[in-house]
Amino acid sequence: MTALRELVAENGPMALTLGGLVIGFAFGAIVSKTNFCTMGSISDIVSFGDYRRFRAWVLAAVTALLGAQLLQYAEVVELARSMYLAPSVNWFGNVLGGLMFGYGMVFAGGCPSRNLARVGGGDLRALMALIVIGIFAFMSIGGLLGPIRAWLEQSTAVSLAALNTPTQSLGDVVSASLRLSPTTGALIATTAVAVAGLAYCFKDEGFRSSPVHVLSGIGVGLCVTAGWAVTGLAFDELAKQPVAPISLTFVRPAGDTLEWLERFTALGLPGFGVSTVLGAILGSFVTAAATKRFTITTFSDKADTIRVLSGAALMGIGGVLALGCTIGQGVTGVSTLAIGSFISFAAIVTGGVVGMKAFERILMAEV
């Protein structure tokens, strides 16, 4: 393992670029082929009472959780170095950002990951949505909205110092509360969450008998696990600018991709996030072309344009506040056992349900 880590770390930028492209390609192909869609899962529940795609989302999170924790145990990745495991919980950002993101993704026709798959299938609405997501994400990180976002975080974040935990991981909370070793605490928390998640998914006969939903959840979870492996091995704390371990997430990378396209000659090789965005588009394009589903589509009318772009703006702002999207927090963040990720997941689902009902009312009024 040490030799492999040294080999990857010595070629860190290239490993992150190639690894991101391959993982993104696989992710895009899976989403396109299986119709894995987190917004669609909420739509299925609200409109038809069908929970299969939602269970696929939960299975993806459980698969990623088991994979990430095994990688940490094997010392492939240090999850504590990731952005999710801060020593404080930004609960207000998780809630407000999650609600905004969930509400916005309904009007934008899907979350960033779904829009990446649609771009590969020829949907120009999805391309515009991703551009707007990237712009508003950067505005919220260090642009016009940055000071407001930073003030909200500083004013509402809750420190876990009283619990004497180094991070907000549920494993650290368990180990500190029960006076156990960090490894034992992580094992207990992982087992509890994984058993609960698997029981929820497979207790439903409709889900168990639907291979496409089961395989889509496992496939997306494995892509997230692979992301942790690549970025964990490539991490070099002695590098001039160490890149913290991360896996699939698509809000900030949408903005990073715009910047890379504009400043390629200054930035050089694309980082992991940009590579996953490009890889996802390529993977979904190849899948759509192979299945003869590639079709150029665009906005149907002015109202459609306003809905999609306004929803994308909400996702850009909300995704930064919540520190991730349906994949970035709902799967990748959950795999670290971060408390904030579970809060964001619940807020995104709630925002999606509210947004779905509001969207239906708007469509009824237009008719």
Side-chain angles (χ1 to χ4, degrees):
M1 183 59 65
T2 301
L4 178 60
R5 182 182 297 278
E6 291 178 353
L7 176 64
V8 175
E10 287 175 2
N11 302 278
M14 182 60 70
L16 292 174
T17 297
L18 293 179
L21 281 172
V22 172
I23 294 168
F25 185 96
F27 178 84
I30 291 170
V31 171
S32 179
K33 180 65 175 178
T34 66
N35 201 27
F36 180 93
C37 179
T38 53
M39 190 277 288
S41 74
I42 296 174
S43 176
D44 288 349
I45 293 172
V46 174
S47 302
F48 311 110
D50 184 351
Y51 284 77
R52 289 179 299 172
R53 281 204 284 183
F54 183 77
R55 285 185 164 88
W57 184 7
V58 174
L59 181 58
V62 172
T63 302
L65 168 64
L66 294 173
Q69 297 301 318
L70 284 173
L71 289 175
Q72 177 165 263
Y73 182 76
E75 299 183 348
V76 173
V77 62
E78 293 183 64
L79 297 176
R81 295 184 181 275
S82 73
M83 66 178 182
Y84 301 104
L85 294 180
S88 60
V89 179
N90 177 30
W91 68 271
F92 187 76
N94 294 138
V95 172
L96 178 61
L99 291 172
M100 292 175 65
F101 184 94
Y103 192 91
M105 74 176 178
V106 174
F107 289 85
C111 66
S113 59
R114 187 60 191 169
N115 276 303
L116 284 170
R118 286 178 169 165
V119 170
D123 194 328
L124 299 182
R125 296 170 301 178
L127 177 61
M128 288 303 301
L130 287 171
I131 291 173
V132 172
I133 288 170
I135 291 172
F136 275 84
F138 265 38
M139 287 173 60
S140 302
I141 293 171
L144 186 64
L145 302 176
I148 300 174
R149 189 254 326 148
W151 175 77
L152 285 173
E153 290 182 3
Q154 294 168 4
S155 302
T156 60
V158 176
S159 173
L160 299 180
L163 298 178
N164 196 30
T165 62
T167 75
Q168 61 172 282
S169 166
L170 287 176
D172 285 341
V173 172
V174 170
S175 63
S177 302
L178 302 180
R179 298 183 180 179
L180 302 171
S181 69
T183 301
T184 303
L187 177 61
I188 293 173
T190 299
T191 301
V193 174
V195 168
L198 291 174
Y200 171 75
C201 290
F202 289 100
K203 73 176 183 179
D204 182 70
E205 195 278 333
F207 180 77
R208 294 196 307 270
S209 60
S210 178
V212 67
H213 290 100
V214 174
L215 293 176
S216 67
I218 294 174
V220 169
L222 289 177
C223 286
V224 170
T225 300
W228 282 123
V230 169
T231 61
L233 290 171
F235 176 76
D236 182 6
E237 61 182 345
L238 299 180
K240 184 178 297 185
Q241 292 183 321
V243 179
I246 188 62
S247 190
L248 296 182
T249 187
F250 295 110
V251 174
R252 172 164 186 161
D256 289 334
T257 301
L258 292 177
E259 183 182 26
W260 182 78
L261 291 172
E262 296 166 352
R263 303 180 58 228
F264 161 72
T265 54
L267 298 177
L269 289 173
F272 180 80
V274 174
S275 295
T276 57
V277 168
L278 300 176
I281 294 174
L282 181 60
S284 59
F285 167 73
V286 171
T287 304
T291 55
K292 298 181 179 180
R293 291 188 290 111
F294 182 86
T295 305
I296 298 296
T297 56
T298 187
F299 299 100
S300 58
D301 53 31
K302 182 172 67 176
D304 183 37
T305 305
I306 294 173
R307 283 196 295 265
V308 170
L309 299 188
S310 60
L314 284 174
M315 280 198 290
I317 299 170
V320 171
L321 281 171
L323 208 63
C325 56
T326 52
I327 298 298
Q329 279 285 40
V331 181
T332 297
V334 165
S335 74
T336 69
L337 291 173
I339 293 173
S341 297
F342 289 93
I343 297 174
S344 291
F345 180 88
I348 289 172
V349 172
T350 302
V353 171
V354 174
M356 190 64 61
K357 293 180 178 180
F359 186 72
E360 289 179 349
R361 288 195 297 270
I362 290 173
L363 291 183
M364 289 295 294
E366 290 180 354
V367 174

